[in-house]
Amino acid sequence: MEVEKFFGSRYSGSKRFTQQDVSTANATGFTAAADDYMERGIDLNEQLIRNKPATYFMRVSGNSMINAGIYNGDIVIVDRSLKPQNGKIVIAVIDGEMLIRRYEKTLNRLRLVPETSGLSPIEVNEFCDFKIWGVVAYIIRQV
Amino acid sequence: MKAIIDCNSFYAACERVFNPSLNGKPVVVLSNNDGCIVSRTDEAKALGIKMAGPYYEAKEMLEQHKVAVFSSNYHLYGDMSWRVMETLRMLCQHVEVYSVDEAFADLKGIQESAMWNYGLHISNTVEQWTGIPVSVGIAATKTLAKVANHLAKKNKVATQGTVALLTPGQIREALENTAVQNVWGVGFRSTEKLRWLGIDTAWKLRSMSEEWAHKNLGGVVGTRLIKELNGISCIEMKDPLRKKKMIATTRMFGKPVFELAQLKEAIATYTSRAAEKLRRQSGAARLIHVFVVTNDYSAHNYNYNPSTKGLYTTLPIATSLTNQLIAHAIMLIEKLYKKGSRYLKAGVMLTDIVPDTSIQYNLFEPPAHDNLRSLMHAIDNINFGMRDELVKFATSGTKKNWKMRQEHRSLRHTTRWDELYEIH
């Protein structure tokens, strides 16, 4: 089974919208011009969640990705249907442990690279039990 | 062609999604109240752990083999189930959710030569998107698809978890390798009868005549079974949105309950839950049924000999208002209660359900006030948004020491902000 097929499906799921109340509809003064341009307000779900059944939220603990701008306590939005590509930040499973790292794939070598000086990269070889759990799509942080 | 997609050891698989160190290791999940084993991985099955076996009997053995044990985490399993079903809805035109972990899908329009590959594509996509491994069975009828699924589950490696029965040869081989008790719709009693008659495989059953099945296997059900095994589809895809004719909420208590006050709290809580479900399908109920399970024993010998007692009442008009339903439920439990009994379980059942819009008002009963309905709507919204019965009726009590025992529950990673998975 080639890898391509795994990611072959696209989510085209139902986005449920509720019709917004047009607040000026009952207005007695100036109305009409704005009403013509009413549209749905911005919905974060629409932007941050591309594929709902495949999207998971996780909280980052520790500083393993600090140089990539991911801090302790940040929330990462992980999409399992995205294909891991060189340079992407991923959730990887290596020997039963789940880690957030940068996915570094070159011609003949695969590494999981932390973004901190305190940790060293992990070489993935044929002796490792290795799998990509999902790809990090967004980070949410309170300022 | 129809497919059945069935999650492999679903509850245990949900636990593995966030705990990959459990891959390849035995895992079991316990029922409500940590009573018995309801989900086992293949590794746990290989150790001889029985389905539905009581936990306390297996405890020592589970510890000895270092089996990972989890209490039911229904919030997680419910969300994971939704993810699996939603993924299937992306891949197939018509999906009938059959239970929390299995669904039928219509594969109309897919060429036979591509059928097996499509099944594999379904299984790969579900596993990739959700993390839950599934088995797929494909055939002309639901019953044959079930047979195919059973074989896929039994030989995961050889079949890659997908079996399609398309040619007469494939169907014959599959049915010959399926014991008669594993055929969908063959119950325990029929199995004994069939075995006694020497019909031990699905293939032998298939060659029986419809008349014979009608006489010996429960009438129409038997005829349908034979037709389905012969590739004539009789059990059609069901409409996904079917409203329930009966709503029940029932639980085991964490420990036996003796006091009426506690029993009333439990009944009020279950009634609230049932009423909430009722309102979710815009229904109103006319009949409320309350039941309890007791296990009394004499001073010298303990026997598990539960007995169920129940009472019901017909309401003057159908209602979905929690306060009205609780009032009736409390009256029923007061009548049912006998001092000194050990109560193990209680439940509330709402039946005779009609659509909320077509309630027949009675000349002598004033119609339910609209503001009460708005109140219910508001309570439902708050509880759905904030979780865990934030707003409830005081009869439901505030402490709940009769509540479920869940000593090994994992975190609700997919439904609670404060229980998110922590990644390092």
Side-chain angles (χ1 to χ4, degrees):
Chain A
M1 189 74 206
E2 71 271 27
V3 189
E4 283 310 316
K5 274 226 160 120
F6 269 52
F7 307 92
S9 293
R10 284 281 165 271
Y11 183 60
S12 54
S14 56
K15 288 189 171 139
R16 268 167 239 106
F17 299 134
T18 47
Q19 182 67 49
Q20 298 284 310
D21 285 333
V22 180
S23 52
T24 58
N26 301 324
T28 50
F30 297 97
T31 58
D35 282 355
D36 287 350
Y37 299 95
M38 275 304 284
E39 58 182 2
R40 239 165 11 82
I42 285 174
D43 180 359
L44 269 183
N45 287 316
E46 204 183 318
Q47 177 66 22
L48 303 185
I49 301 175
R50 293 295 166 83
N51 184 344
K52 201 169 176 215
T55 300
Y56 292 84
F57 294 78
M58 291 182 180
R59 194 179 298 278
V60 176
S61 163
N63 297 318
S64 63
M65 296 302 284
I66 200 153
N67 293 337
I70 303 175
Y71 299 105
N72 185 35
D74 285 0
I75 287 169
V76 287
I77 301 179
V78 182
D79 190 338
R80 290 183 58 108
S81 64
L82 293 178
K83 194 175 171 170
Q85 282 167 340
N86 182 35
K88 288 271 181 199
I89 294 167
V90 298
I91 306 296
V93 181
I94 185 147
D95 298 325
E97 198 185 355
M98 268 159 87
L99 294 170
I100 180 167
R101 292 290 186 272
R102 198 179 287 284
Y103 181 78
E104 197 185 275
K105 193 173 180 3
T106 46
L107 223 49
N108 48 10
R109 156 181 221 212
L110 178 60
R111 297 202 307 165
L112 294 173
V113 185
E115 292 282 354
T116 170
S117 49
L119 292 165
S120 43
I122 301 165
E123 294 282 342
V124 180
N125 56 39
E126 66 267 34
F127 305 112
C128 298
D129 183 11
F130 173 78
K131 219 175 173 179
I132 294 294
W133 197 95
V135 175
V136 176
Y138 288 95
I139 308 161
I140 309 176
R141 176 182 319 132
Q142 183 167 22
V143 288
Chain B
M1 285 285 159
K2 294 186 173 69
I4 176 142
I5 299 99
D6 191 354
C7 303
N8 301 337
S9 318
F10 179 60
Y11 293 171
C14 291
E15 299 293 345
R16 277 177 168 169
V17 170
F18 290 97
N19 200 339
S21 67
L22 298 174
N23 285 332
K25 303 221 172 83
V27 181
V28 298
V29 176
L30 307 176
S31 63
N32 274 340
N33 219 8
D34 295 352
C36 46
I37 293 161
V38 291
S39 178
R40 308 160 297 160
T41 59
D42 287 345
E43 298 80 5
K45 287 174 198 166
L47 289 172
I49 295 164
K50 292 275 170 301
M51 189 65 166
Y55 174 46
Y56 67 88
E57 266 178 24
K59 206 167 176 176
E60 203 172 312
M61 187 270 201
L62 293 169
E63 274 164 20
Q64 195 189 329
H65 288 95
K66 297 201 173 69
V67 178
V69 177
F70 292 93
S71 302
S72 291
N73 183 348
Y74 286 116
H75 296 85
L76 176 67
Y77 308 154
D79 181 69
M80 296 304 289
S81 169
W82 177 85
R83 287 168 187 270
V84 170
M85 300 310 169
E86 183 68 3
T87 306
L88 292 178
R89 281 188 278 265
M90 290 305 106
L91 299 165
C92 311
Q93 291 177 16
H94 190 166
V95 175
E96 176 196 336
V97 177
Y98 187 64
S99 73
V100 69
D101 61 352
E102 53 187 331
F104 287 103
D106 205 336
L107 298 185
K108 228 180 260 163
I110 290 167
Q111 288 191 345
E112 275 201 12
S113 57
M115 205 58 90
W116 185 81
N117 272 311
Y118 198 74
L120 191 62
H121 175 63
I122 292 175
S123 125
N124 284 334
T125 308
V126 172
E127 183 162 3
Q128 180 61 44
W129 286 16
T130 68
I132 303 291
V134 296
S135 299
V136 181
I138 302 170
T141 68
K142 281 184 170 180
T143 308
L144 285 174
K146 274 268 190 186
V147 168
N149 191 285
H150 186 75
L151 293 173
K153 265 204 155 81
K154 259 194 355 203
N155 314 294
K156 286 188 189 102
V157 182
T159 63
Q160 297 189 54
T162 303
V163 170
L165 303 179
L166 307 169
T167 65
Q170 285 169 331
I171 294 171
R172 178 172 186 155
E173 196 194 337
L175 293 180
E176 279 174 345
N177 284 306
T178 302
V180 79
Q181 71 265 28
N182 291 329
V183 174
W184 193 41
V186 174
F188 176 74
R189 289 251 292 286
S190 313
T191 304
E192 283 197 328
K193 194 170 178 179
L194 289 167
R195 285 193 166 269
W196 189 75
L197 291 166
I199 304 166
D200 52 354
T201 67
W203 180 251
K204 286 186 191 161
L205 180 61
R206 177 192 140 115
S207 57
M208 301 310 288
S209 76
E210 286 171 26
E211 293 73 37
W212 178 87
H214 190 91
K215 226 165 70 194
N216 293 287
L217 292 174
V220 194
V221 185
T223 321
R224 219 168 54 180
L225 179 63
I226 300 295
K227 275 193 173 148
E228 281 260 321
L229 283 175
N230 279 289
I232 304 159
S233 187
C234 305
I235 310 170
E236 282 312 317
M237 300 288 293
K238 287 209 182 80
D239 191 4
L241 274 173
R242 262 256 296 268
K243 289 183 176 170
K244 291 200 180 113
K245 296 232 167 66
M246 179 204 94
I247 289 170
T249 307
T250 153
R251 301 282 145 75
M252 289 286 283
F253 296 131
K255 49 182 189 253
V257 163
F258 295 90
E259 301 298 321
L260 177 61
Q262 285 186 318
L263 218 48
K264 276 179 169 172
E265 275 186 21
I267 287 294
T269 307
Y270 301 160
T271 310
S272 305
R273 286 288 299 150
E276 213 179 287
K277 290 189 212 164
L278 183 64
R279 291 194 291 270
R280 213 176 295 155
Q281 67 170 50
S282 311
R286 263 203 72 152
L287 206 83
I288 181 165
H289 183 111
V290 170
F291 64 92
V292 289
V293 176
T294 55
N295 189 30
D296 298 327
Y297 53 83
S298 55
H300 0 275
N301 63 329
Y302 176 85
N303 278 317
Y304 185 67
N305 184 22
S307 70
T308 307
K309 293 183 196 77
L311 278 176
Y312 69 88
T313 185
T314 308
L315 309 180
I317 50 166
T319 183
S320 64
L321 300 176
T322 306
N323 55 337
Q324 292 185 354
L325 291 167
I326 286 183
H328 288 283
I330 294 290
M331 281 196 297
L332 292 174
I333 192 69
E334 279 172 345
K335 269 195 236 164
L336 266 176
Y337 179 74
K338 228 178 73 213
K339 206 173 161 53
S341 277
R342 290 160 50 90
Y343 291 91
L344 302 182
K345 187 178 179 176
V348 174
M349 206 158 76
L350 303 176
T351 53
D352 208 345
I353 295 171
V354 295
D356 199 11
T357 45
S358 68
I359 296 172
Q360 299 261 326
Y361 287 113
N362 179 319
L363 197 58
F364 305 102
E365 285 282 335
H369 297 299
D370 268 355
N371 51 5
L372 263 175
R373 279 215 214 165
S374 314
L375 174 66
M376 292 304 139
H377 189 65
I379 291 176
D380 288 348
N381 272 336
I382 294 170
N383 285 339
F384 187 71
M386 314 296 269
R387 312 298 163 88
D388 271 354
E389 308 175 292
L390 193 70
V391 180
K392 61 189 174 188
F393 285 83
T395 5
S396 313
T398 45
K399 276 216 291 286
K400 294 193 179 155
N401 44 13
W402 44 267
K403 241 192 139 176
M404 275 207 276
R405 190 164 49 206
Q406 290 188 315
E407 283 165 4
H408 312 277
R409 204 197 66 207
S410 54
L411 293 174
R412 293 164 290 194
H413 292 311
T414 62
T415 55
R416 303 288 171 117
W417 283 111
D418 52 354
E419 295 182 23
L420 290 182
Y421 183 84
E422 296 215 341
I423 187 81
H424 294 271

